Amino acid sequence: MAVSKHSNSSNFFFILMDLPGLEASHCWTAIPICLIYILSVLGNITIMHIVKSVPSLHTPMYLFLSMLSMADLGLSASTLPSMVAVFLLGQRIIGAATCFIQLFFIHTFSVIESAVLLAMAFDRCVAIREPLRYATILTTRRIGAIGLAVVIRSAALHLPLPVLLGRLTFQPVSALSHSYCVHPDVLRLSCSSTVINSGLGLFVMLSTLGMDAVLILLSYVLILKTVLCIASNTERFKALNTCISHICAVLLFYTPLVSLSMIHRFGKKKLPAQVYMLLSYLHFLMPPMLNPIVYSVKTKEIRVRILKMIHPNKY
């Protein structure tokens, strides 16, 4: 007997994927997952608290760093509910409407993080190429406008995604490839034509993540061109050293993303499911945890403030 298909999001569900081969080991897999989320939340809240409470850090570089921490917190909060349901509660069924809402927030915060990384690249470019005009170009008002534009762009571009998904037909129960909902994964399970959805998804990806990556690369080409014109090796190193933390953050964000996109479109059937899921977790879980660590280690002002919080009588 044929299985009925539904287009009403209240009539069908998705099954979230556990780690392949570790379905019966929730007690052990939940430990590193919880640790990642705890470190992500503590690290990013600490960065935001330090920047907010120290007036001398109310500069463009640190204001953008606070925005990055906000984006990381949003990304962590977007994946957290379903990850907790799978690894702590053993609950793998998620309603379609809930799934569509989750993928909207996951992709929105992912693009916000990409845009903030672009803004930080622009900040470094201005600081190195136009040091005398740095404070007049990147004023607090302009930084606020940049932050608002980043949020509006990300939300507006992704708002149609869940709406269009709600118009598709699905099997009553479909199995996802992740422990959370992402657009390409949900789209492949549709029983109806996905040409419009795929076209919109590709447009959004190219106009946000793709364009951001190109502009970040262009920023560093300009930075490198300026640095190579500096006569003193010490000054060259000093200028490049201010970019190390940002370069690490860019690599943490884009390397798994590019690999994941290639697998989604070209090589998924040729690779084990474990590789696919690992890259997905690296993209969505690792940057929120590692970004605060990278900036704490490489940025003296942040590092000193954290040490003062840990040992108030020593520093």
Side-chain angles (χ1 to χ4, degrees), residues 214-286:
V214 171
L215 293 176
I216 289 172
L217 181 61
L218 178 61
S219 297
Y220 274 100
V221 170
L222 295 175
I223 288 172
L224 189 60
K225 182 180 178 181
T226 302
V227 169
L228 291 177
C229 294
I230 299 175
S232 170
N233 289 331
T234 303
E235 291 300 317
R236 285 182 186 178
F237 176 78
K238 184 178 178 180
L240 288 175
N241 193 49
T242 64
C243 302
I244 296 299
S245 299
H246 180 256
I247 292 173
C248 291
V250 169
L251 292 177
L252 283 171
F253 181 80
Y254 278 103
T255 302
L257 175 64
V258 172
S259 302
L260 195 59
S261 297
M262 294 301 100
I263 292 174
H264 258 307
R265 299 188 180 279
F266 305 112
K268 183 178 178 181
K269 295 182 179 179
K270 300 178 183 179
L271 294 175
Q274 290 86 344
V275 175
Y276 180 71
M277 291 195 72
L278 175 62
L279 287 171
S280 176
Y281 287 151
L282 285 176
H283 173 58
F284 289 114
L285 303 184
M286 290 296 105

Side-chain angles (χ1 to χ4, degrees), residues 66-87:
S66 290
M67 292 184 191
L68 183 65
S69 293
M70 292 179 194
D72 283 334
L73 283 175
L75 190 57
S76 294
S78 300
T79 58
L80 179 61
S82 59
M83 296 286 282
V84 168
V86 171
F87 293 105

Side-chain angles (χ1 to χ4, degrees), residues 113-312:
E113 178 153 349
S114 173
V116 172
L117 289 172
L118 172 59
M120 296 173 81
F122 176 69
D123 167 73
R124 292 298 84 207
C125 187
V126 173
I128 292 173
R129 291 177 61 85
E130 301 286 347
L132 298 179
R133 298 175 57 205
Y134 178 62
T136 57
I137 293 175
L138 285 173
T139 62
T140 303
R141 185 174 180 178
R142 284 177 180 168
I143 293 171
I146 290 173
L148 181 61
V150 164
V151 174
I152 292 175
R153 180 191 77 154
S154 303
L157 286 174
H158 288 98
L159 198 57
L161 296 185
V163 176
L164 291 175
L165 284 173
R167 299 167 64 90
L168 301 179
T169 57
F170 294 85
Q171 297 289 350
V173 180
S174 303
L176 296 169
S177 302
H178 303 284
S179 304
Y180 38 77
C181 299
V182 288
H183 187 250
D185 196 23
V186 173
L187 206 57
R188 70 177 179 82
L189 300 174
S190 173
C191 302
S192 52
S193 174
T194 60
V195 174
I196 295 177
N197 302 69
S198 297
L200 178 62
L202 182 60
F203 167 76
V204 171
M205 185 181 73
L206 292 177
S207 62
T208 55
L209 302 175
M211 185 174 67
D212 292 348
V214 171
L215 293 176
I216 289 172
L217 181 61
L218 178 61
S219 297
Y220 274 100
V221 170
L222 295 175
I223 288 172
L224 189 60
K225 182 180 178 181
T226 302
V227 169
L228 291 177
C229 294
I230 299 175
S232 170
N233 289 331
T234 303
E235 291 300 317
R236 285 182 186 178
F237 176 78
K238 184 178 178 180
L240 288 175
N241 193 49
T242 64
C243 302
I244 296 299
S245 299
H246 180 256
I247 292 173
C248 291
V250 169
L251 292 177
L252 283 171
F253 181 80
Y254 278 103
T255 302
L257 175 64
V258 172
S259 302
L260 195 59
S261 297
M262 294 301 100
I263 292 174
H264 258 307
R265 299 188 180 279
F266 305 112
K268 183 178 178 181
K269 295 182 179 179
K270 300 178 183 179
L271 294 175
Q274 290 86 344
V275 175
Y276 180 71
M277 291 195 72
L278 175 62
L279 287 171
S280 176
Y281 287 151
L282 285 176
H283 173 58
F284 289 114
L285 303 184
M286 290 296 105
M289 181 186 73
L290 294 179
N291 283 340
I293 296 175
V294 169
Y295 275 93
S296 298
V297 171
K298 293 298 297 179
T299 309
K300 181 181 178 181
E301 291 80 0
I302 299 292
R303 184 172 66 250
V304 168
R305 297 294 172 177
I306 291 176
L307 291 175
K308 283 184 177 180
M309 291 172 64
I310 298 174
H311 303 288

